Amino acid sequence: MTDARNRYRNAPKNADYTIDQDWASYSAEEHDRWNRLAAGVEALLPGRAAPEFITAVDKLGLGSGGVPDMGKLSEMLRPLTGWSVVPVADLVPDEVFFDHLANRRFPAGAFIRSEAEMEYLEEPDIFHDVFGHVPLLADPVYADFMEAYGKGGAAAMARGQLANLARLYWYTIEFGLMKGEDGLRIFGAGILSSTGEIRFSLESDAPNRVGFDLERVMRTKYEIDDYQQTYFVIDSFEALREACYGDFSALYDRLRDLPDIGPAEVVESDRVFHRGVGRAA
Ligand code: HBI
Ligand code: FE
């Protein structure tokens, strides 16, 4: 069976779910599509993205050179932080995903979205995974945080509390904001691979922007099919790494007895940067 959306769907998989990227197989149209996506996002980065992200996009040559070769990209990344990027066909099982991260391998989808899905797509493609996630893996502190997240996966699964840990990923790695010297900056890959959400996350009155707190985040439900209603703001990558290092057992015990928080809710203990006016009816 062929799959119009993802031409790698049925590629032969290794035991760790990696596949052959077969870089030579990308068409001129696919390279051009990457370049248009990258140009659209890059124009919005100055003054909006975390400086570490902007520096790394440049250093890793992720701009207008066409669809990246993950092997070559890994050769640039490895000497910086020990991370590599490995091609996969689609979402991999949770335990496989965590094992890759714990070993400093980022699994990235090899296909690129179609022309019909330039703004919104249902599963992560190479533009989201590589342009969105890989730059910050060149930052040593962020690189440690991501490994620690992977190492925490097995423990969360064993306790049946993967949902709590997944919220940490969602509200930081995918949709995180950071406090910069002159205003908020974006570091989340889900935002940085979407021109619409780059503007929305920083400039719209609709969503809440509140300070990051690990327990608060792990209690907060999220929606996957629209822009976020709440963004969490970290102080720095150091602060994020320190909050997320070590054992979450006591925290997971507490979370069992605490109610979830809705995606649009602001709670008493929040450090509020902006209280959202909510989505238009
Ligand atoms: N697989 N390729 C891929 N990418 C992901 O982001 C991903 C995954 N498998 C599981 C998963 N994410 C989530 O379950 C975890 O973040 C919790
Ligand atoms: Fe992602």
Side-chain angles (χ1 to χ4, degrees):
M1 261 254 301
T2 57
D3 184 320
R5 188 171 268 146
N6 180 347
R7 66 183 177 80
Y8 289 88
R9 185 83 69 203
N10 301 118
K13 287 182 179 63
N14 300 120
D16 65 358
Y17 282 74
T18 58
I19 60 169
D20 180 4
Q21 187 187 5
D22 190 15
W23 185 79
S25 72
Y26 292 103
S27 66
E29 287 76 15
E30 288 177 316
H31 287 297
D32 179 65
R33 202 174 302 147
W34 169 283
N35 289 344
R36 281 181 283 125
L37 287 163
V41 169
E42 277 192 298
L44 297 176
L45 295 179
R48 294 193 182 88
E52 295 88 341
F53 183 90
I54 297 178
T55 306
V57 166
D58 195 43
K59 196 185 236 177
L60 298 174
L62 291 175
S64 57
V67 178
D69 177 330
M70 294 189 209
K72 289 185 179 163
L73 189 53
S74 297
E75 282 166 30
M76 289 189 268
L77 201 52
R78 221 177 270 114
L80 299 174
T81 58
W83 274 83
S84 60
V85 188
V86 295
V88 294
D90 42 30
L91 288 177
V92 304
D94 293 331
E95 68 276 13
V96 175
F97 184 65
F98 290 128
D99 186 64
H100 279 299
L101 298 185
N103 290 287
R104 296 200 176 221
R105 292 185 302 265
F106 190 81
F111 79 103
I112 188 159
R113 66 192 69 181
S114 70
E115 292 292 336
E117 299 173 297
M118 293 297 267
E119 266 301 309
Y120 176 78
L121 76 169
E122 283 170 33
E123 62 174 324
D125 73 337
I126 191 169
F127 184 70
H128 167 79
D129 279 339
V130 172
F131 194 96
H133 284 286
V134 170
L136 288 179
L137 297 174
D139 179 82
V141 180
Y142 187 92
D144 286 350
F145 163 66
M146 195 72 143
E147 178 192 350
Y149 178 85
K151 288 188 164 146
M157 288 178 74
R159 299 182 56 114
Q161 290 185 270
L162 187 56
N164 293 306
L165 188 69
R167 291 168 181 170
L168 171 63
Y169 192 92
W170 189 262
Y171 283 119
T172 59
I173 294 163
E174 294 293 356
F175 294 100
L177 301 180
M178 177 160 52
K179 209 166 70 183
E181 274 165 26
D182 40 26
L184 301 183
R185 293 290 183 272
I186 304 163
F187 74 94
I191 307 176
L192 290 168
S193 48
S194 157
T195 52
E197 195 152 1
I198 288 173
R199 290 181 182 284
F200 178 86
S201 66
L202 292 179
E203 290 151 35
S204 171
D205 285 342
N208 304 307
R209 299 180 188 90
V210 303
F212 174 84
D213 175 84
L214 182 60
E215 179 175 302
R216 193 317 189 181
V217 164
M218 285 195 170
R219 291 175 59 191
T220 309
K221 297 193 284 188
Y222 57 84
E223 289 172 352
I224 62 166
D225 53 5
D226 203 346
Y227 296 155
Q228 298 310 120
Q229 295 179 270
T230 301
Y231 297 92
F232 290 93
V233 182
I234 65 168
D235 287 322
S236 64
F237 290 140
E238 281 82 3
L240 179 64
R241 180 179 64 179
E242 295 325 306
C244 300
Y245 244 75
D247 183 25
F248 291 162
S249 298
L251 174 56
Y252 285 143
D253 283 341
R254 268 203 314 283
L255 289 167
R256 283 193 188 285
D257 301 320
L258 290 168
D260 284 345
I261 299 171
E265 258 183 79
V266 172
V267 300
E268 184 82 25
S269 57
D270 281 338
R271 191 158 47 102
V272 178
F273 290 82
H274 171 78
R275 184 181 287 264
V277 301
R279 289 177 182 155

